[in-house]
Amino acid sequence: MEIKDKRIVLTGAAGGMGSILAEELVKLGANLAMVDANADVLTSVANNLPGTHAIAGDLSSAAGCSSVADQCLEKLGGVDLLINLAGINSFAAFEDESPEKMEAMLHVNLLAPMWLSRAFLPVMQENNAGRIVNVGSIFGSIGFAYFSIYSASKFGLRGFSEALRREVADTNIKVTYIAPRAVKTPMNSDALMRMGEATKMNMDAPEDVVKKIISAINNDRKDIYFGFPESFFVRINVLFPRLVDKALAAQNRIARAFAKGEK
Ligand SMILES: NC(=O)c1ccc[n+]([C@@H]2O[C@H](COP(=O)([O-])OP(=O)(O)OC[C@H]3O[C@@H](n4cnc5c(N)ncnc54)[C@H](OP(=O)(O)O)[C@@H]3O)[C@@H](O)[C@H]2O)c1
């Protein structure tokens, strides 16, 4: 899909990747509506990108998503591309996760992309054109210790993307699932960054990931998994999950101390 003149809704536009992606989409000629809960940062991103629409809103409820979708449709006069990028994570031992945090993560990472897709799909169906891009994670294919809720939310998002893609296969509406490995953004806590260093976790620059997201859209990719060996491990985890259990065991023991706040 070419970006030029497309009406694009981007969630998480005030975030580490979102603010860079917003800038690139505008450079490529998009008509952009940017959504984020962080109203202050969103306003400053929008101030640097004249002609864009900033829509501050909380995507953690169906009502919030519905209100955001209505505002986007009003500002853009329709929608060609929805990019579900907003997300939250948690690096913690499962026994330390609160029910509220679990609910928030599933709402923002999994239900919000569904609620927004549900709001925009009929508009795309009317035009028989459009694309939904869901940004997941390598953790959506490999369940990672101390990211249990986050992994579950991204596994769900991958499953939703695959099912919806198959459901609209006979139309001109496309669904893309994108799975970055770790990226250097404010999403990752200090403890996570220190754990990443201790375990030699590969971390990409957000600018590089944004380039790949745009390339995936331009090239009509169905799904894409970033980085080696992570993308290879995704395949191995399907065929030989016990091998991946073994490969990750030592790393998980190191990660525990960071997740428990002991390091
Ligand atoms: N960073 C990584 O290592 C990594 C790796 C793989 C995949 N990803 C995925 O990539 C996407 C973007 O991540 P990022 O690294 O750019 O994260 P980020 O810098 O934390 O940006 C995420 C943005 O989403 C917003 N957001 C959170 N909850 C929201 C809500 N309820 N309603 C509306 N907006 C909300 C955040 O606002 P607040 O600041 O107010 O919370 C933030 O501006 C996420 O889906 C993430 O899971 C990230």
Side-chain angles (χ1 to χ4, degrees), residues 171-243:
T171 74
N172 286 324
I173 299 161
K174 309 291 175 202
V175 179
T176 299
Y177 175 75
I178 295 184
R181 62 182 180 184
V183 189
K184 287 175 206 140
T185 71
M187 167 176 272
N188 297 321
S189 64
D190 286 351
L192 195 162
M193 294 301 282
R194 281 185 277 113
M195 180 276 287
E197 241 172 67
T199 59
K200 299 191 170 54
M201 186 183 269
N202 292 316
M203 285 219 170
D204 291 322
E207 292 79 5
D208 294 340
V209 178
V210 162
K211 270 187 207 143
K212 287 179 183 169
I213 292 175
I214 288 175
S215 162
I217 295 169
N218 284 155
N219 292 305
D220 295 333
R221 291 290 299 259
K222 291 185 169 60
D223 52 27
I224 183 159
Y225 298 81
F226 294 161
F228 186 87
E230 290 79 1
S231 52
F232 175 66
F233 267 93
V234 165
R235 310 280 175 216
I236 296 292
N237 198 43
V238 174
L239 297 172
F240 307 110
R242 298 296 79 81
L243 276 185

Side-chain angles (χ1 to χ4, degrees), residues 15-17 36-37 57-59 85 136 150 154 181 183 185 187-188:
M17 277 191 253
D36 206 286
D58 182 1
L59 300 173
L85 181 70
Y150 182 74
K154 297 294 189 179
R181 62 182 180 184
V183 189
T185 71
M187 167 176 272
N188 297 321

